[in-house]
Amino acid sequence: MPATVFQPIQVTMLNRAFNDQSPAYSVFSNQVAQAVAVGFVEFARAFGALYVSLSEDQLSTKLLGNLGVLPNAVLQAALKNYLVEVGKENVGIVALQLGEILSTLENAAGDQAVYKAAAVAWNNEVETSFAYSTDPANTSSVPIGIGPIGPGGITLSLTSADDVLSPTAAEAKFKTTAYNDTILAITAGFLSATDLVDGGGGVDTLKATLAAGATVAPALQGIERVFITAGVGAGFNAGGNSSLQQVWVDSAVGAAEFTGVNMATTVGIQNSSAGGALTVGFTGATGAADTASLVFADATGADEVIVTSIENLNVNSTAGTVAATKANQVKITADLAETIVITGDQGLSTTVQGAHIASIDASALGKSLNLTMGASSAATVVVLGGVGADTFSIAESSGARLVLSAGGGEDTIHLNARAAHSVTTGAGADVVNVTFAAAQDKALDVSTAEGPAASAIVVSDFAVGVDVLAVKGTGLGKVALTGSQFAEVAASSSLLTAAQLAASSAAAKGSIVFRYGADTYVLVNDGTTANALDAADSLIKLTGVAVLADASWTAA
């Protein structure tokens, strides 16, 4: 178990072990407060729960890589097996244990002496990160791969020749160290397939510029982070570097491609103002539940990430170095993705395209989400919003049923009426827009007394006077029942009878409010059958609403 007395620096260890990130002061303070409230062991367990979609092998590689003790095949396999034994749900506690154990090995002897250098680097990294996160002046998290990372190494540069960099190089200008080195190839053409780069120990970074159309597959070893400034059509092959934790496209100017990327390696886009489509090919993506991770920082251009053959995507939207950036803007195209989890401390505006998407979970996103989602072949698509003022535009064209929980914040929801959607508005003043189109809306089941309830669009947690329902479509303006008609409808023996009576009591076409049981309904009569209910009509249920104030809904 972790140390029995909670110390805030333990929260830093979790952030570094899982995300290699130094949170902003406000984020870190909230994390510490939560750890105090629930207990740091439970907090560690909950922290790790965000990553249980990764396999035990991926978690082992991620944690040990971030702790700076890879490559070590024996240790990696041992941790993988341990996670199988104790269960992935406890990976947060395991990560904290590892961080605390490593912190004690600076003066280790015997078999554990091999971890001395890693322990020194880890302790410096944690202390530097803790100092950053406890400084009120730091209002944004340090992005993955950029932040303060412990003891500095040296900076080396590649040349136009065939370079060999390693800890054993004869010339100092090519000799890497056991610390955190930076290797530069800022001139296009200086990084090539004939270069051999061994970063040695520490957390080493390669920063390279690739010319337009150039594709390189350098021999890399012991390089944990790669940042590629890619010309249009450039390609980088990451295969063969088992130490690689992160590979980024930096300041994109157009389309680029990463290939040979291990699924345990995080792929990022940062500092993009022009942008382009980044196509990512992951190795070993042959199973039915493959998982990969993406991160965005200061991605404000026309960015798109195209991921193939991955079923589960973890997306982190984080603040970069540009204070003016309030949200990352990246389109996500994933042909086989079924589940997408969105986290982070920066807003995200994204269009998600994927024919198999069944779940988008942004409940842990700390800022606003602007989500546009295309068609999915899944029968039901579950979407969870977070605490920000989110916007959901679900122009679902294939008939999938949307189950949306908007979360906190003043959310705006755009739906069509092609399925019996379920919407929970949550806290804040929310607007639910439902657009109707002739011959495209889901048929209302009028065949049985139970049919209308099963085929209605259901809106829960609707607060009259706070939230607004907007019915949109041609000629669907408000049609009011008289007081006696309203009472007669409310006294009906079934919802089907109530809807039929509402349709026959009002105009041939329009939106009619009535009450049945403890709920309020809006019948959208498209006028196909004048003054009668038929399958072409639609029904919206406002669960638990006794009286719908006129100001709380619009229809046009």
Side-chain angles (χ1 to χ4, degrees):
M1 294 295 291
T4 56
V5 179
F6 169 66
Q7 299 292 333
I9 203 167
Q10 291 172 311
V11 177
T12 296
M13 287 186 178
L14 287 171
N15 280 288
R16 299 307 306 184
F18 280 102
N19 299 322
D20 226 0
Q21 190 176 48
S22 302
Y25 173 78
S26 60
V27 173
F28 184 76
S29 298
N30 288 335
Q31 290 178 335
V32 171
Q34 185 180 359
V36 171
V38 303
F40 70 96
V41 172
E42 185 56 38
F43 175 79
R45 183 182 286 109
F47 198 105
L50 297 173
Y51 302 89
V52 294
S53 61
L54 297 177
S55 69
E56 289 85 356
D57 186 57
Q58 291 170 326
L59 285 169
S60 176
T61 301
K62 182 181 187 69
L63 294 179
L64 295 179
N66 287 340
L67 266 64
V69 295
L70 291 183
N72 188 323
V74 174
L75 184 62
Q76 195 274 340
L79 178 57
K80 178 191 72 173
N81 294 335
Y82 182 65
L83 289 172
V84 171
E85 180 181 346
V86 302
K88 288 191 295 182
E89 65 273 15
N90 293 308
V91 68
I93 296 174
V94 173
L96 192 51
Q97 291 174 326
L98 291 172
E100 292 178 337
I101 292 170
L102 182 59
S103 70
T104 67
L105 299 180
E106 286 195 21
N107 299 307
D111 293 343
Q112 293 185 331
V114 296
Y115 301 113
K116 291 171 63 174
V120 171
W122 171 249
N123 286 335
N124 278 284
E125 174 182 334
V126 170
E127 291 170 7
T128 304
S129 179
F130 181 74
Y132 178 90
S133 296
T134 53
D135 185 347
N138 293 322
T139 58
S140 63
S141 298
V142 177
I144 299 171
I146 301 177
I149 319 253
I154 60 175
T155 299
L156 304 174
S157 296
L158 298 179
T159 70
S160 59
D162 298 338
D163 299 314
V164 178
L165 279 66
S166 77
T168 59
E171 296 184 77
K173 65 178 182 179
F174 293 137
K175 189 169 185 176
T176 56
T177 74
Y179 298 104
N180 306 321
D181 300 328
T182 300
I183 294 93
L184 302 178
I186 57 177
T187 301
F190 278 21
L191 179 66
S192 70
T194 55
D195 291 319
L196 304 176
V197 181
D198 180 355
V203 180
D204 303 306
T205 300
L206 169 66
K207 298 182 179 181
T209 299
L210 303 184
T215 298
V216 299
L220 303 179
Q221 180 179 340
I223 300 295
E224 285 73 27
R225 297 177 173 89
V226 172
F227 293 82
I228 299 295
T229 300
V232 177
F236 175 76
N237 188 325
N241 181 14
S242 61
S243 301
L244 187 61
Q245 299 172 14
Q246 301 154 16
V247 57
W248 294 73
V249 62
D250 186 17
S251 304
V253 296
E257 183 175 13
F258 289 164
T259 57
V261 181
N262 190 289
M263 285 186 289
T265 300
T266 298
V267 176
I269 299 175
Q270 73 168 20
N271 299 330
S272 174
S273 57
L278 173 64
T279 300
V280 183
F282 288 95
T283 59
T286 57
D290 295 312
T291 300
S293 298
L294 308 174
V295 61
F296 309 133
D298 281 335
T300 58
D303 291 298
E304 177 182 8
V305 59
I306 301 172
V307 177
T308 59
S309 303
I310 296 293
E311 287 78 21
N312 304 304
L313 272 180
N314 295 320
V315 178
N316 183 279
S317 180
T318 188
T321 57
V322 181
T325 301
K326 301 303 180 184
N328 292 303
Q329 302 173 37
V330 184
K331 180 179 179 180
I332 301 171
T333 300
D335 61 344
L336 296 185
E338 299 171 4
T339 299
I340 298 178
V341 177
I342 301 173
T343 61
D345 56 11
Q346 184 74 295
L348 177 63
S349 179
T350 183
T351 296
V352 175
Q353 295 284 357
H356 302 280
I357 292 172
S359 173
I360 299 177
D361 182 356
S363 58
L365 180 64
K367 295 293 179 67
S368 297
L369 172 69
N370 188 329
L371 171 67
T372 300
M373 198 187 95
S376 173
S377 62
T380 299
V381 178
V382 177
V383 177
L384 304 178
V387 299
D390 302 326
T391 299
F392 305 94
S393 299
I394 317 294
E396 216 298 301
S397 61
S398 64
R401 175 176 179 264
L402 175 72
V403 178
L404 169 64
S405 180
E410 297 185 350
D411 304 312
T412 301
I413 302 163
H414 299 278
L415 303 173
N416 60 33
R418 296 189 178 187
H421 305 304
S422 174
V423 175
T424 301
T425 56
D430 303 319
V431 178
V432 181
N433 299 284
V434 185
T435 299
F436 294 83
Q440 295 183 1
D441 302 330
K442 176 178 173 59
L444 182 65
D445 184 357
V446 296
S447 62
T448 66
E450 296 77 20
S455 54
I457 296 172
V458 179
V459 180
S460 302
D461 202 25
F462 187 88
V464 175
V466 178
D467 299 326
V468 174
L469 170 67
V471 176
K472 298 188 175 184
T474 304
L476 299 180
K478 294 182 179 181
V479 178
L481 298 175
T482 66
S484 60
Q485 289 173 331
F486 191 89
E488 185 180 4
V489 170
S492 298
S493 60
S494 70
L495 178 58
L496 175 60
T497 302
Q500 289 172 331
L501 189 56
S504 64
S505 301
K509 185 176 184 179
S511 301
I512 308 160
V513 169
F514 68 91
R515 184 178 178 185
Y516 175 76
D519 310 306
T520 292
Y521 294 82
V522 178
L523 172 64
V524 181
N525 191 331
D526 78 338
T528 299
T529 304
N531 299 107
L533 186 70
D534 61 32
D537 300 329
S538 300
L539 197 61
I540 301 173
K541 175 183 178 181
L542 301 178
T543 302
V545 174
V547 178
L548 181 60
D550 194 62
S552 290
W553 77 294
T554 63

